[in-house]
Amino acid sequence: MNHKQSKQRTRLLEMLRNHYGHLSAEQVYNKLKEEDKRISLATVYRNLNLLAEQNKINKIEHPTVGSMYDGREYPHYHLHCEACDGLFDIQGLYLNELNDKVETQMKARILTHRIVFEGICESCLKKGSNVDGHLT
Amino acid sequence: MNHKQSKQRTRLLEMLRNHYGHLSAEQVYNKLKEEDKRISLATVYRNLNLLAEQNKINKIEHPTVGSMYDGREYPHYHLHCEACDGLFDIQGLYLNELNDKVETQMKARILTHRIVFEGICESCLKKGSNVDGHLT
DNA sequence: TTGGATGCAAAGGTTTTGCAGTAAT
DNA sequence: ATTACTGCAAAACCTTTGCATCCAA
């Protein structure tokens, strides 16, 4: 399929690139609507899926909220805080060699991998949250 | 909350423990219904969530199908095949040290982590699938 | 001009919830 | 006797899709 360039897709990508952190489709939609009321949620979903397939953005399955997106261009892992439900980037820890290892072991072809760490983020630790029993 | 033991929950856990592979909530529901018509999907969901929270079963976010569950008792990673959409266990490759590493780096408390590898499984490679453009 | 992209609304699929009844402790 | 658990159906949610229109190439 040949893709044309659309204002909506361009703005969406630009917005994600300039936004640090993770956004849901709905949040992306709301942010874009601030500039142009006429954009639709369907378009946001269509473009998020397209850009994620093209690896121009990252799609992360958030354990409780649905899919989240970020515009980082380098591969990275995520920390999901069970207390505040936040999603945090983990920098400088991408294990390239893992793909080869699994490729050999599974006799498969590995394209990429994702890691999500589960725990309590720095800020929640300071607050002394005890997270509905997980930590008690 | 104090939990009582119910027939439904017991059977569900037992079934998952004896079933090798991954099942969706719907599939769990159908399997359990074979033995007892009267079980409900809501009960299946409630128990899957409960058992996953208690770490008695694993919940894996399948990229396209929704949540999948397995009854393995040891931690392991998964391979998602983009061709057949299958989910495969990866044995003997659990990196305990990763948790410490991230704990230090993020000043967080890490409880666990999950890895999903994306690629093409052995069987699909043999079939020479070329997966709707991902590999072309 | 042509085919991809959009907006809108409707539909789809998965998961959760309210409630009255049932069963475990 | 309590209180959690169940079944059922309705509701909630997130995401996708059909279609007529619009717009980029």
Side-chain angles (χ1 to χ4, degrees):
Chain A
M1 205 196 289
N2 277 326
H3 293 292
K4 295 179 180 174
Q5 190 171 351
S6 77
K7 228 164 236 162
Q8 289 86 338
R9 185 146 63 232
T10 307
R11 284 177 51 224
L12 164 23
L13 180 55
E14 195 182 317
M15 189 276 273
L16 272 185
R17 282 280 152 76
N18 292 324
H19 181 275
Y20 186 82
H22 306 83
L23 298 171
S24 67
E26 189 90 32
Q27 291 173 318
V28 168
Y29 170 61
N30 287 325
K31 270 201 159 288
L32 291 178
K33 223 167 37 172
E34 288 172 12
E35 294 172 41
D36 179 356
K37 295 254 180 215
R38 296 173 45 67
I39 195 167
S40 87
L41 227 201
T43 296
V44 169
Y45 271 105
R46 281 188 281 237
N47 283 319
L48 286 173
N49 284 338
L50 184 62
L51 293 168
E53 271 174 35
Q54 298 175 336
N55 289 311
K56 292 184 181 165
I57 64 174
N58 299 104
K59 180 176 184 173
I60 305 106
E61 312 297 336
H62 185 114
T64 64
V65 179
S67 297
M68 302 291 284
Y69 303 84
D70 77 54
R72 302 303 121 229
E73 294 181 71
Y74 44 85
H76 58 279
Y77 302 142
H78 291 95
L79 163 61
H80 172 235
C81 175
E82 296 186 355
C84 67
D85 227 18
L87 207 54
F88 303 88
D89 287 349
I90 299 173
Q91 313 285 12
L93 179 70
Y94 195 80
L95 306 169
N96 283 298
E97 68 275 17
L98 270 191
N99 289 351
D100 296 339
K101 215 164 176 173
V102 172
E103 198 153 284
T104 305
Q105 175 175 336
M106 301 295 283
K107 293 183 182 126
R109 173 161 177 200
I110 303 299
L111 302 169
T112 179
H113 68 269
R114 287 171 271 118
I115 308 187
V116 178
F117 291 84
E118 289 290 339
I120 310 296
C121 73
E122 180 178 8
S123 136
C124 284
L125 277 183
K126 283 182 184 162
K127 286 182 205 141
S129 314
N130 52 337
V131 197
D132 67 15
H134 283 297
L135 292 184
T136 55
Chain B
M1 203 197 292
N2 276 327
H3 293 291
K4 295 179 180 173
Q5 190 171 352
S6 77
K7 230 164 232 159
Q8 289 87 336
R9 185 146 63 232
T10 307
R11 285 177 50 224
L12 164 23
L13 180 56
E14 195 181 319
M15 189 276 273
L16 273 185
R17 282 281 154 76
N18 293 323
H19 180 274
Y20 186 81
H22 305 83
L23 298 171
S24 67
E26 189 89 33
Q27 291 172 319
V28 168
Y29 170 61
N30 287 326
K31 270 201 159 290
L32 292 177
K33 223 168 38 173
E34 289 172 11
E35 295 173 40
D36 179 356
K37 295 256 180 213
R38 295 175 44 68
I39 195 166
S40 87
L41 228 202
T43 297
V44 169
Y45 271 105
R46 282 187 279 236
N47 283 319
L48 285 173
N49 285 338
L50 184 61
L51 293 169
E53 270 174 36
Q54 298 175 336
N55 290 310
K56 292 184 181 165
I57 63 174
N58 299 103
K59 179 176 185 173
I60 306 105
E61 311 297 335
H62 187 115
T64 63
V65 178
S67 298
M68 301 292 283
Y69 303 84
D70 78 53
R72 301 302 121 231
E73 292 181 73
Y74 43 85
H76 59 278
Y77 303 141
H78 291 96
L79 163 60
H80 172 235
C81 175
E82 296 186 356
C84 67
D85 228 18
L87 208 53
F88 304 88
D89 286 350
I90 299 174
Q91 314 285 11
L93 179 69
Y94 194 80
L95 306 169
N96 282 298
E97 67 274 19
L98 270 191
N99 288 351
D100 296 337
K101 217 165 176 172
V102 171
E103 198 153 284
T104 305
Q105 175 175 335
M106 301 295 283
K107 293 182 183 127
R109 174 159 178 200
I110 304 298
L111 302 169
T112 179
H113 68 269
R114 287 172 271 117
I115 308 188
V116 178
F117 291 84
E118 288 290 338
I120 311 296
C121 73
E122 180 177 10
S123 137
C124 284
L125 277 181
K126 283 181 183 162
K127 287 182 203 141
S129 314
N130 51 337
V131 198
D132 68 11
H134 285 296
L135 291 184
T136 56

